[in-house]
Amino acid sequence: MMKTTACAVILFASAAFAQQRDIFPSDYKASPCATETSCESFTDMNYPQAALKFLLRTLEVAWDEQHHDDLNAMVQPYCIKRATCMGTAGNVWWFCNDVFAQEIRAACDRKFPQKAQPHDNEQCRTWVDVFATGVDQYGKTAWETEQRCVKMTATPSTAVRKMVWWSVPSVIPVDYKGSVQIFAYDSETHVPVQANISFEDQIIYTQDSPTGKTITYYQFKWPRFLVRVPNAEGHTNMVPTTMTIAAAGYETIHLPVPTVVPRIIVSMSPPADKLRRGKNAVTVTATDSITGKPVEAQVYFGEATIGFTNQLIEMTVRQKRPEIWVRSPFDAYSDVVVAPGQK
């Protein structure tokens, strides 16, 4: 039984910290249904052959011979973690295999730093990708065995579990055009959680996940996530849309997308209290609060549009000056009141 919460413990990390962070923590609680058998990969062909056949990449024979046993030992702790992932309710075998593949690539980066040992790093990544490809081919049978165990040993419970989650990058700029990953694990067992990610009024697809849907641990492109909502001043604010992270048996997390929304910083020359009755030549200067760059926005005099920011415009004041405010025509910024109307 699941319930929805409007509040969640949000764990943000800097992008640099998040890249160093274990996506499957080493202090996880092992599943009683995890098999003892280590990962099964290719045995009917050597790794250089498999690299060319399945990945269209080159793994040097001499390099493989030199490092094969060492790398095979390197991946075994991750194989053990993978068994617990597959022996956890709600996790599909391909999800656990893909988490495993990300972990062993990161292990290569630690063993052979890319800057210091670029060739070894590239060969190591090819080797582990071959290993992971073999695990993909032979891994479903073990998952089916573990899931039967899960169903047979699971104790019915109405308790709702909680997730700890984070994103890379941890805070996404509003104009970010790169890929994003959102990670989540069980707050008690520290085992990865295969959760669905959805966004208010938007459907996002990705080629990274097998289903094409946005799922934890898979990359997806980050489109614009701002919506216009009314504010207390009678105008509108641009705010992040709601993101939902949901998995069966877990508290559903609803919260604003972790986006930094820039503001318009405005000033007017001459200022409002210096305007005289009749025609006035004024300039409303508008800049981005983050970049400091000029912002093009419409200038309103009451309900009428009279020009654009950062340009000389004419403002005719009669008995009582109406409110002066600006709005971004591109839905990039919240409305800003330059000067309230005279009473």
Side-chain angles (χ1 to χ4, degrees):
M1 180 178 178
M2 295 175 60
K3 67 178 181 180
T4 299
T5 178
C7 300
V9 176
I10 305 171
L11 182 55
F12 282 148
S14 68
F17 176 76
Q19 289 168 356
Q20 297 173 7
R21 181 176 183 166
D22 289 336
I23 60 176
F24 191 159
S26 297
D27 61 352
Y28 69 97
K29 181 180 179 181
S31 167
C33 291
T35 59
E36 295 182 1
T37 307
S38 61
C39 304
E40 183 180 357
S41 190
F42 295 115
T43 56
D44 57 345
M45 68 178 75
N46 64 40
Y47 277 36
Q49 290 175 328
L52 188 61
K53 179 178 180 180
F54 294 101
L55 306 177
L56 299 179
R57 286 154 62 184
T58 299
L59 178 62
E60 297 168 1
V61 174
W63 196 96
D64 175 53
E65 290 176 349
Q66 180 182 355
H67 297 282
H68 191 95
D69 291 343
D70 188 26
L71 294 181
N72 193 60
M74 180 189 78
V75 301
Q76 292 313 307
Y78 302 101
C79 288
I80 296 171
K81 288 202 286 185
R82 169 181 164 272
T84 279
C85 179
M86 295 201 302
T88 299
N91 288 345
V92 179
W93 66 277
W94 47 258
F95 169 78
C96 294
N97 285 350
D98 288 342
V99 172
F100 167 76
Q102 292 181 61
E103 283 210 292
I104 58 178
R105 289 189 195 114
C108 272
D109 294 341
R110 290 189 292 271
K111 188 175 183 65
F112 301 108
Q114 192 170 23
K115 289 185 178 180
Q117 299 171 273
H119 177 70
D120 288 329
N121 179 273
E122 181 270 331
Q123 288 290 284
C124 182
R125 275 180 163 253
T126 298
W127 192 98
V128 298
D129 285 350
V130 169
F131 187 88
T133 300
V135 169
D136 269 342
Q137 295 201 12
Y138 300 112
K140 188 175 181 181
T141 301
W143 171 77
E144 290 172 340
T145 299
E146 293 180 52
Q147 288 297 306
R148 283 196 294 270
C149 170
V150 170
K151 291 178 181 178
M152 291 174 60
T153 59
T155 302
S157 174
T158 58
V160 179
R161 305 185 71 85
K162 294 184 179 182
M163 288 181 275
V164 174
W165 77 276
W166 71 99
S167 66
V168 177
S170 58
V171 178
I172 298 95
V174 72
D175 57 351
Y176 184 69
K177 303 237 180 350
S179 294
V180 172
Q181 276 182 286
I182 292 176
F183 302 93
Y185 60 70
D186 186 286
S187 64
E188 294 182 16
T189 66
H190 292 184
V191 176
V193 175
Q194 180 182 338
N196 294 317
I197 306 163
S198 59
F199 302 91
E200 184 181 11
D201 299 325
Q202 299 189 60
I203 299 176
I204 309 299
Y205 295 103
T206 175
Q207 295 181 344
D208 199 43
S209 79
T211 64
K213 297 179 180 179
T214 47
I215 302 172
T216 48
Y217 291 81
Y218 292 94
Q219 292 185 359
F220 59 95
K221 288 294 183 181
W222 196 256
R224 193 175 194 84
F225 285 112
L226 294 180
V227 292
R228 193 176 285 279
V229 298
N231 63 22
E233 294 179 316
H235 296 292
T236 58
N237 288 339
M238 298 304 301
V239 300
T241 191
T242 299
M243 176 174 69
T244 299
I245 306 174
Y250 286 86
E251 255 183 354
T252 299
I253 299 172
H254 295 292
L255 74 168
V257 167
T259 299
V260 175
V261 182
R263 297 175 294 107
I264 300 178
I265 305 299
V266 298
S267 61
M268 190 172 74
S269 179
D273 59 359
K274 300 297 183 183
L275 297 179
R276 64 182 185 276
R277 285 192 181 184
K279 295 181 179 180
N280 295 264
V282 304
T283 301
V284 177
T285 302
T287 57
D288 185 288
S289 61
I290 297 175
T291 66
K293 294 181 179 180
V295 172
E296 182 181 355
Q298 292 173 308
V299 179
Y300 285 80
F301 196 60
E303 298 298 321
T305 306
I306 59 172
F308 288 88
T309 54
N310 305 312
Q311 297 178 10
L312 193 65
I313 56 178
E314 186 178 279
M315 189 176 291
T316 302
V317 179
R318 304 194 188 281
Q319 287 187 347
K320 290 185 178 180
R321 174 182 46 75
E323 181 183 61
I324 304 169
W325 57 286
V326 300
R327 168 173 287 179
S328 166
F330 307 109
D331 285 344
Y333 302 89
S334 301
D335 298 344
V336 179
V337 176
V338 180
Q342 292 177 327
K343 300 295 185 180

